Amino acid sequence: MIPVILSGGSGTRLWPLSRGIYPKQFLPLVSESTMVQETVLRLAGLERLQAPIAICNEDHRFMMAEQLREINAQAEAIILEPVGKNTAPAVALAALAAKNLDDILLVLPADHVIENIPAFQRAVVNAGQLAEQDYLVTFGIVPTAAETGYGYIKRSSEKIDHAFKVAEFVEKPDVEVAEAYVSSGEYYWNSGMFAFKAGRYLEELEKFSPEILEACRLSFAGAQSDVDFVRLNKDAFSQCPSDSIDYAVMEKTDKAVVIPLDADWSDVGSWSALWEVRKKDSFGNALTGDVVAIDTKNSFIHSGNKLVAAVGVQDMIIIETDDAVMIAPKDRVQEVKKIVAVLKNDQRAEADLHRKVYRPWGYYDSVDNGDRHTTKRIVVNPGAKLSVQKHHHRSEHWVIVKGSAIVIKGDETMLLSENESTYIPLGVIHSLENPGVIPLEIIEVQTGSYLGEDDIVRFEDKYGRT
């Protein structure tokens, strides 16, 4: 069995913590581990498990590789999607990457919370046995409420081992319909998790959505390997239709079965859903960071940087980050994505970027910005090196505040330590490297007529960036 970790999506309903360049699946929302890491860790102990195949956006490739490395999980492949095309093409790529068509793919979105791990693992074992018999298995969550934010799966009366034949997939219902679904006992929430043989999935995809399979084959045939990553042929993949597994295959095949799963599952798709799964105080509040709450009930309050004080608040979501504060009633959190839409329309960086921006070598934090200057705190991981580069519109002053740095500036190479500094004139080719065993921290002051991140001409880069 090969775990297939699907890491698409931007988690806009969890803004401002989740953003386009650093979405929710890479955040530690429920535990100290990120959601990607939790997805892999909950498989520990299962037998006959191969290394995972991860599928993610190209912008997230280094976060994916680093977070897997942190939990000692070596991916069989990290497949980079140049554009998002939904789940049917993503899983087709994983099936094409499998070395054996009889290998079972265990398809897992990277943004789920599952509290009852033993129940989940039992369902996975049962799903594997059914997949061996050429069934296409989906996991149906036993509903605990008449949720209108999930799609539903209706089971038939025909039972096969631990599963039921699928009668139909249905869209997100209104409240009255959802209540009827739950009371009937015949419907499950659609989890988006699946298990099937790689070859069987490709056969069914070719039967029902051949244009998707053809585009995936072409993009995979033209792929290039780059360190840990598989870079698809962008032109070929861009021509692929966008569709979900449900629409492309599961609704049409006669081999679909659903395994009921009762394992305290949530897809934490909103702040209210995250409040549900977080630990709360005696007043029903989920509090994170530096928070003072007085006469406050049933609220989610997150402080990322500053003291957040609340008085007389009830059923509210308050989220503070370095560069944004979001406040909403708990029953209107689905509308948070409208904020992101407005920010994108206004071309504001807060839609996609945090003040702290992660890079393969570490991260930088934009401390202060002006018309002709920017001040950043830059942290470089041990052994990491920024690209050899130059700038057309800005010069840079670097002050070392922790660790040591190898700086190349034109024809000059120097070793700098704490309290030492250097100046990089406009147009001079330069690089920065951390030769030490502790993180390197520098303060960088940029000055010039244009300070955008796209004013970088790279000559050499160990991470394959252009």
Side-chain angles (χ1 to χ4, degrees), residues 88-307:
V91 176
L93 296 170
L96 292 169
K99 295 177 181 178
N100 190 328
L101 292 179
D102 284 334
D103 285 338
I104 296 170
L105 305 182
L106 176 63
V107 180
L108 303 171
D111 56 357
H112 291 178
V113 171
I114 298 177
E115 300 286 351
N116 191 337
I117 304 301
F120 167 71
Q121 292 196 354
R122 286 194 297 271
V124 168
V125 172
N126 293 334
Q129 294 169 352
L130 286 161
E132 289 280 6
Q133 302 172 49
D134 287 336
Y135 287 104
L136 282 72
V137 185
T138 185
F139 297 81
I141 306 301
V142 177
T144 57
E147 279 285 346
T148 59
Y150 299 141
Y152 284 72
I153 303 169
K154 182 181 181 182
R155 75 184 191 197
S156 74
S157 58
E158 183 180 352
K159 190 171 184 181
I160 302 170
D161 293 339
H162 297 278
F164 295 88
K165 292 279 285 187
V166 171
E168 64 175 329
F169 289 80
V170 292
E171 294 294 329
K172 298 174 182 178
D174 59 31
V175 174
E176 289 185 0
V177 173
E179 289 174 348
Y181 286 168
V182 174
S183 62
S184 74
E186 298 176 342
Y187 289 81
Y188 305 103
W189 293 339
N190 188 350
S191 71
M193 299 187 290
F194 305 89
F196 34 63
K197 289 180 182 177
R200 284 293 294 121
Y201 177 73
L202 294 177
E203 288 172 6
E204 297 296 273
L205 190 64
E206 187 163 35
K207 184 188 303 182
F208 300 116
S209 301
E211 64 282 359
I212 290 179
L213 182 56
E214 177 64 17
C216 288
R217 279 177 170 156
L218 288 173
S219 61
F220 203 79
Q224 296 180 333
S225 295
D226 174 15
V227 193
D228 297 324
F229 310 114
V230 177
R231 295 178 179 273
L232 302 173
N233 182 290
K234 183 175 181 178
D235 292 337
F237 195 67
S238 297
Q239 300 303 312
C240 183
S242 178
D243 210 349
S244 68
I245 298 177
D246 296 342
Y247 284 130
V249 173
M250 297 298 288
E251 290 188 358
K252 300 170 183 176
T253 182
D254 61 358
K255 299 291 285 185
V257 297
V258 56
I259 287 184
L261 176 61
D262 188 0
D264 297 324
W265 172 93
S266 172
D267 72 346
V268 290
S270 67
W271 286 114
S272 58
L274 187 57
W275 172 83
E276 291 280 356
V277 300
R278 290 288 291 268
K279 292 182 179 179
K280 306 174 189 66
D281 63 18
S282 58
F283 299 99
N285 299 312
L287 308 177
T288 304
D290 192 4
V291 176
V292 175
I294 297 173
D295 192 25
T296 294
K297 299 177 182 179
N298 301 323
S299 296
F300 189 112
I301 305 177
H302 171 94
S303 164
N305 189 50
K306 304 174 182 68
L307 166 65

Side-chain angles (χ1 to χ4, degrees), residues 5-20:
I5 312 300
L6 300 181
S7 183
S10 56
T12 54
R13 287 176 296 174
L14 288 178
W15 187 90
L17 275 190
S18 176
R19 307 196 189 184

